[in-house]
Amino acid sequence: MIPELWICIFSAIFFYVYGAKLPEPEVKIEVLYKPFLCHRKTKYGDILLVHYDGFLESNGTMFHSSRHHGDKNPVWFTLGIREVIKGWDKGLQNMCAGEKRKLTIPPVLAYGKEGKGKIPPESTLVFDIEVIEIRNGPRSHESFQEMDLNDDWKLSRAEVKEYLRKEFLKHGYAANDTHHEVMVEDIFKKEDEDNDGFISSREFTYQHDEL
């Protein structure tokens, strides 16, 4: 029996007998450029603006580029909440604005057995990615402090509602009390884990497994 088959059989037996979770493949990270000055580094919950070029590792074909396809603008997304493939969430942590990386992402952290569009099933992907801007996301401590008007380290419904009102006005939308109240109730239903009527700093910033 060939060694590779023995490895597969042993892994399957170990998983079945001991209920072990096999280690997840890693993203290969190559730093292409890093600025001398770095005022902050990316973390889960941050909103990132990036440019990227995506290639199939198998033949080097470019399947998409923010610089050359579509409107040719960089893209915004929130790091760590599955807005993008898991390989990006893993590979774009601890980056500086202006930094460039090459990520080699295995299929299980990309589009897996299904593939997507021009990406065949079980494809390893290579991305050249530049982080252009980093902003505080909704899960950051900075955002929590901005919302916590009385500095008691917990958010009331009134504080969350006031924050939503300001955000709507900031982006040119009229405040809508009824709509905001519905949004507040939905937020508290999801975030107020101990049902005490407040969202604590831990409840606000804690990264759930599903994120």
Side-chain angles (χ1 to χ4, degrees), residues 3-190:
E4 290 83 1
L5 187 54
W6 270 117
I7 293 172
C8 291
I9 292 174
F10 177 78
S11 298
I13 293 173
F14 187 84
F15 182 83
Y16 178 79
V17 173
Y18 296 101
K21 185 177 181 180
L22 298 177
E24 191 171 59
E26 291 298 318
V27 176
K28 180 182 176 183
I29 300 173
E30 180 184 351
V31 177
L32 303 177
Y33 171 77
K34 194 166 189 175
F36 179 74
L37 295 176
C38 184
H39 300 293
R40 67 180 291 180
K41 292 186 177 181
T42 58
K43 64 183 184 302
Y44 277 177
D46 283 342
I47 300 175
L48 309 186
L49 180 66
V50 304
H51 258 311
Y52 70 93
D53 299 312
F55 307 88
L56 301 178
E57 186 192 47
S58 59
N59 57 19
T61 299
M62 177 187 287
F63 57 83
H64 198 267
S65 169
S66 62
R67 297 182 187 276
H68 305 292
H69 300 149
D71 57 14
K72 301 181 181 178
N73 290 324
V75 296
W76 288 101
F77 71 95
T78 303
L79 187 65
I81 64 170
R82 304 280 181 91
E83 284 187 5
V84 290
I85 59 174
K86 201 169 183 180
W88 275 33
D89 280 341
K90 285 176 168 287
L92 299 181
Q93 298 179 61
N94 297 310
M95 287 186 72
C96 306
E99 184 174 341
K100 299 177 182 180
R101 286 184 181 179
K102 174 179 285 187
L103 306 182
T104 302
I105 302 175
V108 69
L109 300 180
Y111 295 104
K113 297 178 181 179
E114 292 78 21
K116 184 177 182 181
K118 298 179 181 179
I119 302 171
E122 298 291 358
S123 293
T124 296
L125 307 180
V126 178
F127 288 94
D128 291 335
I129 302 177
E130 176 184 6
V131 172
I132 297 170
E133 186 176 344
I134 306 168
R135 292 186 181 178
N136 293 331
R139 291 281 175 179
S140 70
H141 286 286
E142 292 86 353
S143 293
F144 181 87
Q145 290 173 333
E146 183 180 349
M147 297 170 73
D148 185 18
L149 300 177
N150 60 359
D151 296 323
D152 63 354
W153 291 98
K154 58 185 180 182
L155 303 178
S156 66
R157 283 176 166 78
E159 286 173 326
V160 174
K161 184 178 177 180
E162 177 62 15
Y163 178 79
L164 291 173
R165 188 187 70 81
K166 290 179 179 178
E167 286 296 300
F168 268 63
L169 292 175
K170 184 194 300 183
H171 292 92
Y173 297 101
N176 184 320
D177 284 344
T178 302
H179 182 51
H180 293 170
E181 287 174 3
V182 172
M183 293 176 69
V184 168
E185 289 307 312
D186 185 58
I187 289 169
F188 270 77
K189 183 178 180 181
K190 294 177 180 177

